[in-house]
C-alpha cells in the first residue's frame, strides 16, 4: 500500500483528495491496495477517496457479518461528519454498501457495486477456497480474474495465509454465511438510491446474470459491462472502470 493510513479511535482508513467523499468498501480477501488506481484517479478528479478498513477479523465471531459491517460504516461516516457520500463496493464490500444503503439511506447520495454479493447465494462460499496446498489456492485465486496473471504471488500468499489461519478461516466462513442470510432480493425494489453497476463480462464468481438481476430489481440503476474482465474490475481493467464511473458521476451531477 503506497498510501498512508490514518488511525482515529477504532477506525483505520486511507483518505486522499478533496470533494464529495467516495467511500470504498473492500471485499472479504481484498486488500486496500486493490483500489490504488481508483484512489489515484478520483482523488485527482475532484473527489475525496476514503477507504476504511472493515473489521473483518477483529469483531467477535457472533457479530462478524454484513449487518455489523454496515453499522460500523455508519459509525465511521458519523465520526467523519460526512454529509453526503458515494459508496463503492466490490464483492462483499458491495453487499455491505447495499445493506448500509437499505438501513441508513439518508447520507448515501449514490451507490456503486462491482462483482457484488447480495443476490447470488454461493457467490462468496464458492470463491474462497478450503484449506489446501498452495497450488490449489493459487488456481482458485487466478480464477477470480479473466487474466490469471493479475493474481500476483503477493495476492496468492495473502489468500493462502488467510485460509490456513484458523481464526481468519472461521471468520471468513461466518461472513459467507451472513451474506447468504442477508439476501437483498426482497429489499432492492424499495431502494431508490441511484446505483451504478459495473461488471466484468467474464466474472465467474458473481456471473453476469447477477448484474442483470441487480439492474432489474433496483429502481434507479445503470448497468455497464467490461469485457475481458473477471470479478475485480477496478483491478483488472482500471482505466475503463475509472472512465465509466467518472462519466456516470458527472451524468448524475455527483
Amino acid at each position: 500500500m503506497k498510501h498512508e493510513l490514518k488511525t482515529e479511535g477504532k477506525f483505520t482508513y486511507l483518505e486522499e483528495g478533496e470533494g464529495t467523499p467516495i467511500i470504498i468498501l473492500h471485499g472479504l480477501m481484498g486488500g486496500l491496495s486493490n483500489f490504488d488506481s481508483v484512489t489515484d484517479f478520483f482523488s485527482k478528479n475532484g473527489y475525496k477517496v476514503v477507504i476504511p478498513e472493515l473489521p473483518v477479523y477483529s469483531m467477535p465471531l457472533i457479530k462478524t457479518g454484513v449487518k455489523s459491517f454496515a453499522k460500523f460504516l455508519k459509525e465511521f461516516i458519523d465520526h467523519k461528519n460526512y454529509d453526503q457520500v458515494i459508496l463503492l463496493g466490490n464483492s462483499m464490500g458491495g453487499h455491505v454498501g447495499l445493506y448500509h444503503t437499505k438501513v441508513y439511506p439518508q447520507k448515501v447520495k449514490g451507490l456503486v457495486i462491482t462483482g457484488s454479493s447480495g443476490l447470488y447465494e454461493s457467490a462468496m462460499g464458492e470463491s474462497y477456497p478450503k484449506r489446501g496446498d498452495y497450488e490449489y489456492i493459487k488456481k482458485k485465486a487466478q480464477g477470480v480474474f479473466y487474466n490469471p496473471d493479475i493474481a500476483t504471488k503477493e495476492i496468492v500468499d495473502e489468500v493462502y495465509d488467510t485460509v490456513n489461519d484458523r481464526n481468519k478461516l472461521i471468520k471468513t466462513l461466518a461472513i459467507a454465511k451472513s451474506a447468504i442470510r442477508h439476501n437483498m432480493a426482497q429489499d432492492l425494489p424499495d431502494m431508490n438510491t441511484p446505483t451504478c453497476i459495473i461488471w466484468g463480462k467474464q466474472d465467474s464468481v458473481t456471473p453476469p446474470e447477477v448484474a442483470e438481476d441487480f439492474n432489474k430489481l433496483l429502481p434507479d440503476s445503470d448497468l455497464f459491462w467490461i469485457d475481458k474482465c473477471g470479478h475485480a474490475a477496478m483491478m483488472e481493467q482500471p482505466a475503463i472502470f475509472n472512465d465509466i464511473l467518472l462519466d456516470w458521476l458527472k451524468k448524475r451531477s455527483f
Side-chain angles (χ1 to χ4, degrees):
M1 191 80 210
K2 56 189 174 181
H3 303 280
E4 208 167 301
L5 298 179
K6 300 178 180 181
T7 300
E8 292 163 12
K10 67 176 180 178
F11 304 111
T12 298
Y13 64 97
L14 174 156
E15 187 176 50
E16 294 280 340
E18 287 303 325
T20 300
I22 297 178
I23 299 182
I24 292 175
L25 303 162
H26 59 81
L28 187 50
M29 293 198 188
L32 274 56
S33 58
N34 292 2
F35 294 91
D36 276 354
S37 67
V38 175
T39 303
D40 291 342
F41 182 84
F42 285 95
S43 62
K44 289 172 187 151
N45 276 280
Y47 295 90
K48 183 193 289 284
V49 179
V50 187
I51 316 183
E53 281 189 340
L54 296 174
V56 174
Y57 303 122
S58 57
M59 274 190 172
L61 183 62
I62 197 160
K63 287 188 172 178
T64 299
V66 170
K67 190 175 175 180
S68 294
F69 297 156
K71 184 169 180 283
F72 177 88
L73 174 60
K74 181 193 185 297
E75 290 166 0
F76 176 73
I77 290 169
D78 290 346
H79 167 77
K80 291 297 292 174
N81 225 5
Y82 293 144
D83 181 32
Q84 292 280 284
V85 302
I86 293 151
L87 299 180
L88 190 176
N90 171 241
S91 200
M92 175 205 75
H95 198 164
V96 173
L98 284 157
Y99 192 84
H100 175 94
T101 302
K102 171 200 157 184
V103 184
Y104 315 105
Q106 302 81 356
K107 293 188 174 182
V108 184
K109 196 174 185 176
L111 178 62
V112 186
I113 55 173
T114 179
S116 177
S117 61
L119 282 180
Y120 182 55
E121 285 197 4
S122 60
M124 292 175 65
E126 266 290 307
S127 62
Y128 298 109
K130 302 178 285 291
R131 294 161 104 159
D133 63 42
Y134 188 84
E135 282 307 308
Y136 171 80
I137 283 167
K138 182 179 174 185
K139 195 168 166 237
K140 277 291 200 179
Q142 288 175 334
V144 169
F145 304 100
Y146 172 77
N147 173 7
D149 294 345
I150 305 283
T152 58
K153 185 177 184 307
E154 190 183 2
I155 288 170
V156 178
D157 286 351
E158 198 178 323
V159 177
Y160 182 79
D161 290 345
T162 299
V163 299
N164 283 286
D165 176 321
R166 190 168 177 276
N167 176 48
K168 286 186 176 179
L169 185 64
I170 288 167
K171 296 276 177 80
T172 300
L173 294 172
I175 294 163
K177 282 178 184 163
S178 139
I180 293 167
R181 277 199 310 278
H182 293 101
N183 187 289
M184 304 289 297
Q186 304 297 315
D187 305 308
L188 297 177
D190 299 321
M191 291 171 57
N192 294 302
T193 303
T195 305
C196 177
I197 305 166
I198 306 177
W199 225 263
K201 275 190 182 175
Q202 289 79 22
D203 186 340
S204 61
V205 180
T206 44
E209 54 266 30
V210 181
E212 285 164 2
D213 285 347
F214 272 123
N215 196 37
K216 277 181 206 144
L217 290 166
L218 284 160
D220 185 10
S221 60
D222 299 293
L223 172 57
F224 303 94
W225 297 106
I226 301 183
D227 197 15
K228 296 183 179 169
C229 184
H231 186 56
M234 70 291 162
M235 289 174 72
E236 194 155 16
Q237 298 284 4
I240 299 170
F241 181 91
N242 290 340
D243 285 346
I244 289 171
L245 182 50
L246 183 62
D247 192 44
W248 185 79
L249 291 169
K250 283 182 173 171
K251 279 185 179 156
R252 293 284 187 155
S253 303
F254 293 163

